[in-house]
Amino acid sequence: MNTQELVAGFRETATASVADAVDKIAGKTGFLPAAFKPRINENKIVGPAVTILEGPTDEFLPPQHALDAIDESEAGSVIVISTNGTTDVALWGGLMTAGAVANKHEGALLDGGVRDLVEIKRDYDFPVYSRCVSPGTTLGRIKTLASNVEVDMGGVIVHPGDIIVADVDGAVAVPRDHAEAVLEMAREIDEREAEQARLIIESGSLREGLAKYGRI
């Protein structure tokens, strides 16, 4: 499958099923820690990761790699920003959102904060998933180090091109090399759970549904 087909498939698949499928297919955890939450709306986002690595500094520098990535990445990308553990400043705000909207990106996923929530909600309704909300600037605290490199997002390694799936259940990074198999298994999980739920309702028994399908 090409990226567009994968994105369309994951958009129709439960995020929890995707997380379970990554566990089994990739043999590692793909879901990010619970602190990563939607901050603007509850829109589901699905798209290939464009990664930005940032780190501590005392220089007053703009987040150049992130700014360049917003303008240069393909439409539909998810901008993924890691900070090497510094999480209490805003990595994203209103102006970066304007650039992302102009370039038709899917959303942002931040190992740090977002600010300008009122502006982003009012003017753009652009999905941002972040570890926190903060009014603090990165200037003099954080600088961008590289783009399109592997990054650590709360213990989950994300590579450029991995498929990000995120909604109110949380965020999952699907390794690109396993994406087709993960999608196939996630669809199967969705189908089995739908059948199991119908049996539980029809039989009036949770135990009967668990006994037949063995899934909880």
Side-chain angles (χ1 to χ4, degrees):
M1 291 185 187
N2 61 32
T3 298
Q4 290 74 23
E5 291 170 329
L6 289 168
V7 167
F10 281 117
R11 202 178 297 282
E12 300 301 322
T13 308
T15 300
S17 298
V18 175
D20 289 356
V22 172
D23 284 347
K24 294 179 181 299
I25 298 294
K28 62 181 181 179
T29 299
F31 63 89
L32 275 59
F36 290 82
K37 297 179 180 179
R39 305 294 177 174
I40 304 301
N41 54 42
E42 295 186 349
N43 294 352
K44 184 173 186 175
I45 63 171
V46 182
V50 172
T51 58
I52 307 296
L53 178 63
E54 305 195 354
T57 187
D58 56 7
E59 301 173 276
F60 281 72
L61 297 171
Q64 197 60 52
H65 291 89
L67 303 180
D68 291 342
I70 289 169
D71 268 358
E72 295 170 6
S73 300
E74 292 186 8
S77 298
V78 177
I79 309 299
V80 177
I81 304 180
S82 173
T83 61
N84 282 330
T86 303
T87 62
D88 59 353
V89 295
L91 311 176
W92 192 275
L95 294 178
M96 294 174 79
T97 300
V101 170
N103 285 283
K104 298 180 173 57
H105 293 315
E106 180 74 5
L109 179 62
L110 316 171
D111 191 13
V114 58
R115 66 180 186 178
D116 300 329
L117 267 66
V118 171
E119 175 187 345
I120 297 171
K121 290 179 180 180
R122 181 193 65 216
D123 296 341
Y124 307 109
D125 198 34
F126 180 79
V128 179
Y129 289 71
S130 70
R131 189 184 279 274
C132 67
V133 175
S134 172
T137 180
T138 58
L139 297 177
R141 300 184 177 96
I142 299 288
K143 67 178 179 180
T144 58
L145 302 173
S147 59
N148 286 314
V149 295
E150 73 171 41
V151 295
D152 186 329
M153 298 292 285
V156 176
I157 301 301
V158 179
H159 297 87
D162 286 353
I163 306 298
I164 303 299
V165 181
D167 63 11
V168 292
D169 271 356
V172 182
V174 180
R176 183 62 180 84
D177 291 346
H178 297 294
E180 189 167 345
V182 167
L183 177 57
E184 181 178 354
M185 178 173 284
R187 284 170 163 166
E188 292 172 356
I189 292 171
D190 277 358
E191 291 173 4
R192 287 200 306 273
E193 287 204 350
E195 293 172 1
Q196 185 174 357
R198 284 194 295 270
L199 175 59
I200 292 167
I201 295 298
E202 291 168 359
S203 68
S205 172
L206 175 59
R207 287 192 297 269
E208 185 172 335
L210 297 182
K212 180 173 181 178
Y213 290 91
R215 178 171 173 79
I216 185 67

